[in-house]
Amino acid sequence: MSTARLPAYAEPTDPPRSSPGLDVRDLEKRTRLMRIITRLIAVSDLGSREIARRAGLPMQKISDLLSGKLEHLSVDELRLVYHSIDTSGTPTPP
């Protein structure tokens, strides 16, 4: 049984004030990039293998992206995928 006590002002349902290893800004960036990339993939004529080859990433990373497994891809990897698909010269998303 735990002997830890909550401060008088804390409710048991309050989320923790900080989570080690979780960067919310990074997660938001990755989420935005993932949404843009999955839309680009949906309208492109490129297959997953071709996208992986162009980006220089393993095919598993593209599968993870399409499955929504953001924790397996960094912002830099997502940008590589974005640039490998989008050749129209549009600016890089945030």
Side-chain angles (χ1 to χ4, degrees):
M1 181 171 185
S2 174
T3 59
R5 292 187 179 186
L6 293 172
Y9 58 86
E11 291 291 326
T13 57
D14 284 348
R17 294 189 187 266
S18 66
S19 299
L22 177 64
D23 183 5
V24 175
R25 287 184 210 108
D26 181 62
L27 186 58
E28 287 173 346
K29 277 185 188 178
R30 289 191 285 163
T31 301
R32 272 185 252 136
L33 277 168
M34 183 198 74
R35 287 181 179 163
I36 291 168
I37 292 167
T38 53
R39 287 181 190 141
L40 285 173
I41 290 172
V43 298
S44 78
D45 293 332
L46 300 173
S48 298
R49 287 185 196 270
E50 179 63 18
I51 293 167
R53 186 191 64 74
R54 287 183 178 194
L57 295 172
M59 179 61 192
Q60 185 60 45
K61 292 281 188 172
I62 304 304
S63 295
D64 290 342
L65 168 69
L66 295 173
S67 299
K69 297 178 182 175
L70 282 178
E71 66 276 6
H72 295 187
L73 292 122
S74 69
V75 172
D76 292 334
E77 289 172 328
L78 289 167
R79 285 188 177 139
L80 280 172
V81 174
Y82 173 81
H83 288 297
S84 70
I85 299 169
D86 185 44
T87 57
S88 66
T90 56
T92 303

